[in-house]
Amino acid sequence: MNPDKKIFDISIRGTKMNMSDIISDLNIVGGNKSGKEGELEKEIVDIIKTNTRLSDSDKWSYELSGHSLGANQAMNILADSIESPIMERVKDAYLFNPGITPTHDLDVAKRATNQERFHFFLNSGDLVSNAAIAIRDGDSKSEVFYGVPGSSPMANHSIDQWVTSTEV
């Protein structure tokens, strides 16, 4: 929650090594959807509705961010979220290394690249999110930040590349 800017950020984590997340990742490989989008959208709507009870809630907006699995889910939820009008309060989505399969159903990802509220954080050395680079074209409206590719595939996919630390 950023009270100065009146923004709530809702974050969706990436894969943990548990059966549920691994099945979600396999669903993405098979069709670019985890199968958990409906459940997550309901949870996001509940968060927004709960915060709507704040006295000045109409002045607040929301951001949705996710890494890898979470970025894929955020993209799928928001690219077509007009099904749930309250989701219009989500003004920006920050997608860090979204997991996208290049061979199956890229329609949602293409729609996301043509919406200004999407901000992609990509690394050309990341095999998991390379499809997001490939589907962009000159007309893409989403903002993109590129990480510096290294020799480690794990580092190229890691959320750590997007975090800066300051020593005190």
Side-chain angles (χ1 to χ4, degrees):
M1 183 170 111
N2 183 331
D4 295 332
K5 293 184 178 183
K6 296 203 178 286
I7 296 173
F8 285 100
D9 181 74
I10 302 168
S11 299
I12 305 173
R13 65 166 172 75
T15 302
K16 284 189 175 181
M17 287 299 138
N18 61 47
M19 191 55 70
S20 177
D21 284 2
I22 291 169
I23 290 171
S24 293
D25 285 339
L26 290 173
N27 284 333
I28 290 170
V29 170
N32 278 323
K33 292 201 178 192
S34 73
K36 305 274 184 177
E37 286 81 6
E39 175 184 327
L40 285 167
E41 183 170 0
K42 181 185 178 318
E43 192 167 332
I44 292 165
V45 167
D46 287 347
I47 290 168
I48 294 171
K49 285 180 178 177
T50 298
N51 290 327
T52 300
R53 296 184 188 118
L54 296 172
S55 60
D56 62 348
S57 66
D58 59 326
K59 297 175 186 159
W60 287 75
S61 63
Y62 295 82
E63 298 173 340
L64 186 58
S65 57
H67 174 254
S68 190
L69 168 63
N72 174 286
Q73 293 167 326
M75 179 181 63
N76 281 317
I77 291 166
L78 286 180
D80 296 322
S81 66
I82 306 309
E83 179 180 314
S84 178
I86 198 166
M87 293 297 281
E88 292 175 6
R89 300 216 29 212
V90 178
K91 300 300 181 194
D92 289 290
Y94 298 93
L95 308 179
F96 297 87
N97 304 92
I100 301 173
T101 300
T103 58
H104 298 59
D105 191 13
L106 293 169
D107 294 341
V108 172
K110 288 177 183 176
R111 280 194 297 281
T113 66
N114 285 310
Q115 293 182 31
E116 291 179 4
R117 71 176 169 171
F118 285 96
H119 310 275
F120 287 84
F121 293 78
L122 306 171
N123 185 318
S124 63
D126 177 20
L127 299 175
V128 175
S129 63
N130 261 340
I133 296 171
I135 61 174
R136 294 187 55 76
D137 59 33
D139 296 328
S140 294
K141 295 177 182 166
S142 61
E143 187 173 34
V144 178
F145 300 91
Y146 291 101
V148 178
S151 59
S152 167
M154 294 300 285
N156 290 333
H157 185 67
S158 173
I159 189 73
D160 294 342
Q161 70 184 301
W162 307 109
V163 179
T164 57
S165 62
T166 57
E167 292 186 34
V168 179

